[in-house]
Amino acid sequence: MKNGLLKPGDYFLRGNYAFVEGALLAGCRFFAGYPITPSNEISAMMARRLPQVGGAFIQFEDEIASVVAIIGAANGGVKSMTATSGPGFSLMQEAIGLAFMIETPIVIVDVQRGGPSTGLPTQVGQGDFIQANFGSHGDYETVVYLPNSPQEMFDMAIKAFNTAWRYRVPVIVLADQMIGQMIEKVSVPSHDEIELVEYEKPEIPPEEFLPFDLRYEVPPFVAAGDGYRIHLTGLAHDERGYPTTDHETYSKMLLRKLRKIWDNADEIVEWEERLTEDADLIVVSYGITSRSVYKAVSDAREKGLKVGIYRLKTAWPFPYKRLKELAMEGRNILVVEVNMGQAYRVARQYISHEGVYSMPWAPGRVPPPEAILKKIEEVYKA
Amino acid sequence: MVNKDLKIRLIGAGGHGILTLGMILGETAIKNGLEASMTIGYSPAQRGGWSRADVIISENRIDYPIFTDPDILIATTQETYDLEYGNVKDGGLIIYESSLVEPREVEGVRQIGINAIENAIKLGNRIVANIIILGFFNEITKTFPEDLVEEIVASRVKKKYVDLNMKALKLGREMAYEYVGKGVMKG
């Protein structure tokens, strides 16, 4: 650990710690947060690790201050993140809209627990699926990753920072209590194999620089102190960043920001497919639930049922194109998740036939493979 | 020496080193080129409760990390033994702390009691009771190469405690030889 970063190799690492190490390797040097179970291992480890790599950690008075602090730090040019769970994530929603509005790259990990409200602080949930892209007001977009192992906590930490800084958007990693707290093998690659997105000062002379320049898909990022004039506000603004109520200007500005995600969705979306080719039924899942689905589907295959797996690795943008293709070739779809059917509702929007089924499951525990297999058998007959 | 998934449930009182033991097993498996996963559980009590580590060791990718039917149970208190002894798979193994656990009748499961706590105290610190159990477990089950276990244990403790931990591992192994020597278990 010469430079303070985790050396390449295989580790037996807790999901939440794996995220910390991935984030530090991605260049994260500021963390602001407020403690909440089951995300605490992230903030506790960040408090220990950040000073070792020349970064800073601040515990704030609440989640609102924390998320606003990372927006501020990111505008100072520092890769920044926070970690929370359901109740804290709810408090952060307004500022997520702010980060989108002022095109600030931030990373938020939501280690989901059972909700709503205080819910089940120590137990698993996946009920923030919709909220992660719709919790703030107005039209905005986030990119949301769905890790299903400590290895993916590590990998997606790096990915989250890269996506946030490439598109200048808030990126959310939607983990869950099981994935955050379970321990598994995490392979850390050689550091020079890790590709990182870093901001570069624009070549435009300062007097010509417009912080929200409409000629760009993603305008160049400048940090406070780089010598460029910037003005940031949550109000509708023009290319200079100054408030405006001019409808045409605002339409253009809003659409440009949304299109960063809309037009690059094919690049951003990720999913995992197994055994789909000959399948009659595809089971859609994500996070810890997908681990139970792996087992249920392999048991179903042993019983001769042609079942495949479509695992979401991004929630938003929703990787619908390939799923739609599989469905339209005549396959039925079953969505399994630890909530009452959030991803199911989204999947149904894209698939026009009737064979889309939901397996709702209350938070608190992961649906066991036997329960999923039973549902598979039930749906398979239909 | 793992042919398929090996599911180990470790459970005991807070302070018995259950989670550490789980971490050592997992880390040793990884360093041995195997896959491992571990999930953790606690009793609801803030003090005086139990903790549980469920470890799976496998040659293959581990699809599902949660289980209820361990191949091997290691229990260090009566309360946790009573919670779990009935869940052990047919043909499985239970290792219990004999100074704290009165074993029950279980059909089809081999049970071995070892007095790790008193022996740890004799070595100088009761904190290494879990390491005695580790030495015993590994000698009985031959799960990992002996030197790899030593290496992992040594890497996890402060320098001044390495010697104590090596002694604990050795004692655990010797207790296993003695146990096997009794003829209760051969081969």
Side-chain angles (χ1 to χ4, degrees), chain B residues 140-156:
Chain B
I140 291 281
T141 62
K142 305 275 189 199
T143 305
F144 302 118
E146 203 175 293
D147 51 350
L148 186 62
V149 177
E150 286 178 354
E151 183 193 317
I152 301 295
V153 171
S155 73
R156 291 186 59 91

Side-chain angles (χ1 to χ4, degrees), chain B residues 8-89:
Chain B
I8 309 166
R9 172 161 287 179
L10 313 160
I11 188 164
H16 278 188
I18 294 295
L19 302 187
T20 306
L21 188 49
M23 287 301 294
I24 293 170
L25 290 176
E27 217 177 302
T28 312
I30 300 289
K31 293 284 191 265
N32 203 20
L34 299 164
E35 297 290 333
S37 76
M38 172 166 147
T39 58
I40 296 164
Y42 301 98
S43 61
Q46 284 190 324
R47 285 189 186 80
W50 48 258
S51 55
R52 186 189 69 217
D54 284 347
V55 180
I56 303 179
I57 296 166
S58 179
E59 280 186 345
N60 306 312
R61 187 195 59 206
I62 295 162
D63 279 346
Y64 187 53
I66 301 167
F67 61 84
T68 49
D69 52 344
D71 301 296
I72 298 173
L73 171 69
I74 296 178
T76 62
T77 66
Q78 189 71 52
E79 182 199 0
T80 57
Y81 173 93
D82 285 345
L83 271 175
E84 297 294 344
Y85 74 91
N87 294 329
V88 179
K89 251 191 207 151

Side-chain angles (χ1 to χ4, degrees), chain A residues 93-169:
Chain A
Q93 292 304 319
E94 188 190 353
I96 290 171
L98 174 66
F100 174 83
M101 192 66 153
I102 60 177
E103 299 189 74
T104 300
I106 55 167
V107 172
I108 300 173
V109 195
D110 173 9
V111 186
Q112 296 171 94
R113 64 193 217 183
S117 189
T118 316
L120 295 160
T122 61
Q123 290 177 300
V124 72
Q126 295 185 313
D128 308 351
F129 189 94
I130 297 283
Q131 184 191 23
N133 197 46
F134 295 94
S136 201
H137 55 279
D139 293 297
Y140 72 104
E141 290 290 350
T142 54
V143 173
V144 180
Y145 290 103
L146 300 166
N148 87 339
S149 64
Q151 180 69 55
E152 282 194 351
M153 286 291 270
F154 176 85
D155 297 340
M156 287 180 177
I158 296 168
K159 208 166 267 180
F161 277 98
N162 283 346
T163 302
W165 284 79
R166 177 171 294 131
Y167 299 110
R168 299 183 59 185
V169 289

Side-chain angles (χ1 to χ4, degrees), chain B residues 77-129:
Chain B
T77 66
Q78 189 71 52
E79 182 199 0
T80 57
Y81 173 93
D82 285 345
L83 271 175
E84 297 294 344
Y85 74 91
N87 294 329
V88 179
K89 251 191 207 151
D90 205 30
L93 168 69
I94 300 176
I95 297 175
Y96 59 89
E97 167 57 53
S98 63
S99 68
L100 295 176
V101 176
E102 190 60 49
R104 320 278 180 196
E105 285 283 322
V106 195
E107 257 184 54
V109 172
R110 183 153 53 107
Q111 301 203 66
I112 313 173
I114 71 160
N115 194 335
I117 292 176
E118 275 175 30
N119 278 293
I121 293 169
K122 276 186 210 157
L123 280 181
N125 197 331
R126 67 177 293 155
I127 206 163
V128 293

Side-chain angles (χ1 to χ4, degrees), chain A residues 292-293 295-296 359 361 365-374, chain B residues 64:
Chain A
S292 191
V293 166
K295 174 83 170 73
M359 178 171 167
W361 189 266
R365 64 184 284 222
V366 182
E370 307 82 66
I372 298 172
L373 179 61
K374 207 176 141 206
Chain B
Y64 187 53

Side-chain angles (χ1 to χ4, degrees), chain A residues 325-347:
Chain A
E325 206 173 274
L326 289 165
M328 288 311 160
E329 286 166 9
R331 297 177 183 90
N332 284 348
I333 305 292
L334 169 64
V335 186
V336 187
E337 50 195 329
V338 185
N339 61 51
M340 291 299 156
Q342 297 191 14
Y344 161 70
R345 278 183 237 178
V346 182

